[in-house]
């Protein structure tokens, strides 16, 4: 019998399974995944032409750790009173603790039913295998997935048109200056960007835009956000509000059930947030594992995102707030970082873009400055000659 | 068999930091610890292709700039997800203000 069941074998569930062993759990662990593949990393799917998937751990790793990896398995329902789940093959599995790590699914708005989406390895194979000269690709949505796919497609010589309903790219997560830098690069690489225009309908041979224009395309992919997979939780009577509601320990309204990763809504800085982030999925998986074993600590990591487009990498630590101004740090070679501080002077976000890993070190230090709740001097943030490590070590909280 | 290679001057590496060193088609990373000792490892992360020289050194940990994989640069030990494969390390000696690593 497995003491601990994990529903969802993505980054979060896999991380949780291994973290249970690292934390000394000796009972059974079952990791239930719907896909036929060994658990793999999703971020590369939109960034690289299809090769072998980047798996999270070899099959032997699960065996050695005593993790029962169940592929092609779907959980149909959770019976909280009897503490067991029912699988689609009719079998039932009991649990002492249950982790829901079901992630999120690609969203489609009305009229977009005919568009492909990019979320799984099978999705990626269907899309990326077709890229190349002669293919006209239309992408709906100027967020990370749409833009990464646009960059990958352009590198392979595909004709790319990207349509975004908002007036600028990545409006949900990065400041305008960074979005503009990225838009400039996409245009320079030959991608056609149509901003501020909605989609009326996706057809087999293209898109009809809200203003009546027609974009002819051989393939249409929608990258217009994701919705948390909350069905099991909702049907089991757990509280759901834009994600499965969890407390700081990542416990749901049932003390035997936890939720982590893209599917959960957790407390952060006095608000509730739901993130779609590879690192958050990992960190919360590990945190939920410890919490299921009795750890009382609250999850408190600063959000962190990245995106690779062409040779540019964008990194964000914290959650950018459109109502706050920013301090700009220019790192040379066109790389720059925008810092935001709250009214009390505490650093709340750092967003940067540059070639390769130009912004990585400073973004990481900014994240650590945020974790400590420090109030850095803006003149130091602005000056690239000032090593942020001295700011991290030198500023009183 | 040792093959000592002159990698850099002591002053080329700041305390609690690292630099990249290329030799014979391979990339290495040379570290200077907070207590002024020198270490050397492979220069590329074991998770995905990324130059560790762009990463952050805190105490005895090098963190990869790409996805935050962490290693103890003294032993090469991978310190948890997403990295699970250790970094190869190389012997280091300091003579006359120069840092040498044994690439054999």
């Amino acid at each position: 019998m497995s003491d601990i069941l994990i529903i969802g074998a993505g980054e979060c569930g896999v991380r949780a399974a291994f973290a249970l062993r690292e934390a000394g759990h000796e009972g059974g662990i079952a990791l239930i995944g719907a896909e036929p593949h060994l658990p793999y990393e999703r971020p590369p799917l939109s960034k690289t032409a299809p090769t072998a998937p980047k798996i999270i751990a070899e099959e032997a790793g699960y065996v050695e750790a005593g993790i029962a990896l169940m592929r092609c398995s779907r959980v149909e329902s959770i019976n909280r009173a009897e503490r067991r789940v029912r699988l689609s093959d009719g079998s039932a599995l009991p649990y002492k603790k249950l982790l829901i790590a079901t992630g999120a699914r690609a969203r489609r708005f009305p009229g977009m039913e005919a568009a492909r989406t990019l979320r799984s390895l099978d999705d990626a194979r269907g899309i990326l295998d077709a890229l190349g000269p002669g293919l006209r690709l239309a992408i709906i949505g100027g967020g990370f997935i749409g833009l990464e796919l646009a960059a990958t497609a352009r590198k392979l010589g595909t004709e790319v048109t990207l349509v975004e309903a908002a007036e600028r790219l990545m409006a949900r997560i990065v400041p305008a200056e960074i979005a503009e830098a990225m838009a400039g690069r996409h245009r320079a690489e030959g991608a056609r960007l149509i901003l501020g225009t909605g989609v009326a309908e996706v057809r087999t041979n293209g898109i009809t835009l809200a203003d009546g224009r027609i974009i002819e395309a051989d393939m249409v992919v929608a990258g217009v956000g994701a919705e948390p997979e909350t069905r099991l939780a909702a049907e089991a009577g757990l509280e759901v509000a834009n994600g499965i509601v969890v407390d700081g320990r990542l416990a749901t309204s049932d003390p035997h059930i936890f939720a982590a990763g893209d599917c959960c809504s957790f407390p952060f800085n006095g608000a509730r947030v739901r993130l779609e982030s590879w690192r958050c999925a990992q960190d919360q998986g590990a945190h939920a594992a410890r919490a299921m074993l009795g750890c009382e600590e609250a999850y408190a990591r600063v959000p962190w995102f990245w995106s690779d487009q062409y040779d540019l990498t964008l990194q964000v630590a914290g959650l950018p707030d459109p109502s706050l101004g920013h301090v700009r740090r220019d790192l040379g070679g066109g790389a720059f970082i925008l810092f935001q501080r709250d009214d009390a002077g505490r650093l709340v976000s750092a967003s940067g873009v540059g070639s390769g890993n130009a912004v990585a070190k400073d973004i990481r230090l900014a994240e650590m400055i945020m974790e400590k709740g420090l109030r850095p001097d803006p003149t130091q943030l602005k000056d690239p000659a000032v090593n942020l490590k001295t700011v991290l070590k030198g500023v009183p909280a | 068999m040792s093959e000592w290679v002159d990698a850099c001057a002591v002053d080329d590496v700041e305390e609690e930091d690292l630099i990249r060193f290329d030799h014979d088609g391979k990339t290495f990373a040379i570290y200077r610890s907070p207590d002024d000792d020198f270490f050397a490892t492979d220069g590329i992360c074991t998770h995905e292709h990324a130059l560790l020289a762009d990463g952050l050194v805190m105490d005895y940990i090098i963190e990869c700039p790409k996805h935050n994989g962490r290693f103890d640069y003294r032993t090469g030990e991978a310190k948890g997800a997403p990295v699970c494969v250790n970094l190869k390390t190389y012997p280091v000696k300091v003579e006359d203000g120069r840092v040498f690593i044994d690439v054999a």
Side-chain angles (χ1 to χ4, degrees):
Chain A
M1 167 188 160
S2 286
D3 296 325
I4 298 184
L5 292 188
I6 301 169
I7 308 176
E11 196 72 45
C12 181
V14 171
R15 192 60 220 128
F18 283 98
L20 283 167
R21 287 288 179 249
E22 285 157 21
H25 174 65
E26 290 179 349
I29 302 170
L31 178 59
I32 307 169
E35 292 186 64
H37 314 288
L38 261 185
Y40 57 90
E41 296 196 12
R42 287 187 205 281
L45 297 180
S46 48
K47 298 177 178 71
T48 48
T51 46
K54 185 164 174 49
I55 59 168
I56 300 172
E58 298 287 346
E59 191 151 25
Y62 296 92
V63 176
E64 272 168 40
I67 297 164
L69 173 62
M70 303 169 62
R71 302 194 229 174
C72 301
S73 295
R74 279 182 189 279
V75 173
E76 286 297 318
S77 61
I78 301 167
N79 183 330
R80 289 167 53 195
E82 296 178 19
R83 274 192 234 160
R84 57 184 163 77
V85 303
R86 195 165 57 77
L87 301 180
S88 49
D89 65 5
S91 61
L93 287 174
Y95 63 83
K96 289 180 183 163
K97 290 279 185 283
L98 177 68
L99 174 62
I100 304 176
T102 43
R105 64 176 176 274
R107 177 188 288 148
R108 273 192 186 89
F109 291 114
M112 294 184 191
E113 291 81 1
R116 292 167 182 259
T117 55
L118 175 45
R119 186 86 199 160
S120 69
L121 179 59
D122 294 344
D123 294 342
R125 283 179 170 154
I127 295 167
L128 284 102
D129 279 343
L131 299 181
L135 184 87
R136 296 166 304 171
L137 173 67
I139 298 170
I140 307 170
F144 282 5
I145 287 184
L147 291 168
E148 288 176 0
L149 177 60
T152 306
R154 280 305 301 145
K155 280 189 281 188
L156 294 169
T158 317
E159 192 181 312
V160 173
T161 303
L162 185 145
V163 183
E164 164 60 51
E167 294 295 332
R168 69 171 177 91
L169 301 175
M170 300 178 285
R172 213 158 53 98
I173 188 66
V174 306
E177 281 178 57
I178 289 182
E180 278 156 27
M182 217 39 125
R185 181 56 185 275
H186 276 276
R187 290 193 177 107
E189 295 281 353
R192 178 181 174 206
L193 304 182
I194 301 175
L195 304 181
T197 308
V199 167
E201 191 188 6
V202 176
R203 294 170 294 105
T204 50
N205 58 349
I207 302 175
T208 306
L209 299 179
D211 60 13
R213 272 185 291 172
I214 288 173
I215 308 296
E216 288 184 8
D218 306 304
M219 182 186 282
V220 181
V221 179
V224 291
E227 290 164 351
E229 287 282 9
T230 57
R231 180 185 67 81
L232 287 172
E235 288 176 5
L238 298 173
E239 194 183 339
V240 172
N242 180 31
I244 303 165
V245 173
V246 293
D247 64 15
R249 296 163 54 239
L250 308 179
T252 66
S253 44
D254 179 327
H256 302 291
I257 304 180
F258 292 70
D262 289 16
C263 69
C264 84
S265 155
F266 64 98
F268 179 75
N269 280 357
R272 297 204 71 83
V273 298
R274 188 178 72 77
L275 299 181
E276 291 158 14
S277 151
W278 178 76
R279 200 172 85 187
C280 178
Q282 264 182 19
D283 289 343
Q284 289 195 337
H287 192 93
R290 293 189 293 270
M292 287 191 287
L293 301 177
C295 175
E296 294 287 328
E297 268 172 49
Y299 179 80
R301 286 214 70 176
V302 170
W304 182 86
F305 302 87
W306 96 96
S307 177
D308 298 325
Q309 298 166 36
Y310 308 104
D311 66 317
L312 297 177
T313 292
L314 174 166
Q315 289 194 0
V316 179
L319 293 178
D321 179 344
S323 71
L324 296 172
H326 58 246
V327 172
R328 179 172 168 138
R329 180 179 178 96
D330 281 295
L331 299 171
F336 64 96
I337 297 177
L338 303 175
F339 297 99
Q340 291 187 310
R341 296 172 312 129
D342 66 13
D343 296 341
R346 286 191 193 85
L347 191 62
V348 292
S349 79
S351 314
V353 66
S355 181
N357 297 309
V359 302
K361 199 189 288 189
D362 280 349
I363 293 284
R364 180 68 182 107
L365 284 161
E367 183 193 341
M368 293 160 93
I369 289 169
M370 284 179 236
E371 261 165 16
K372 287 178 124 180
L374 302 181
R375 301 161 206 235
D377 178 345
T379 58
Q380 293 195 315
L381 294 177
K382 201 178 290 184
D383 183 356
V386 174
N387 185 341
L388 293 183
K389 200 189 273 187
T390 63
V391 175
L392 175 69
K393 292 182 173 179
V395 184
Chain B
M1 273 290 284
S2 296
E3 188 188 341
W4 290 98
V5 176
D6 183 342
C8 60
V10 164
D11 293 341
D12 289 342
V13 196
E14 287 181 39
E15 199 177 287
E16 202 182 27
D17 206 351
L18 83 164
I19 62 163
R20 167 185 180 170
F21 169 61
D22 290 330
H23 174 73
D24 204 12
K26 271 198 76 177
T27 297
F28 302 87
I30 314 288
Y31 306 82
R32 185 174 186 167
S33 76
D35 25 58
D36 221 14
D37 290 321
F38 286 81
F39 298 90
T41 70
D42 272 341
I44 309 289
C45 183
T46 61
H47 174 241
E48 266 183 50
H49 190 90
L51 277 176
L52 292 174
D54 292 327
L56 177 66
V57 174
M58 293 298 279
D59 295 323
Y60 302 106
I61 299 292
I62 171 67
E63 194 172 282
C64 175
K66 208 138 185 68
H67 308 128
N68 312 110
R70 302 165 82 237
F71 304 89
D72 185 327
Y73 57 79
R74 298 170 298 182
T75 60
E77 185 194 355
K79 303 299 279 182
V83 289
C84 47
V85 177
N86 293 344
L87 266 184
K88 187 166 163 37
T89 59
Y90 300 86
V92 174
K93 65 182 180 183
V94 176
E95 283 175 6
D96 300 328
R98 303 291 302 179
V99 181
F100 294 84
I101 73 171
D102 181 1
V103 298

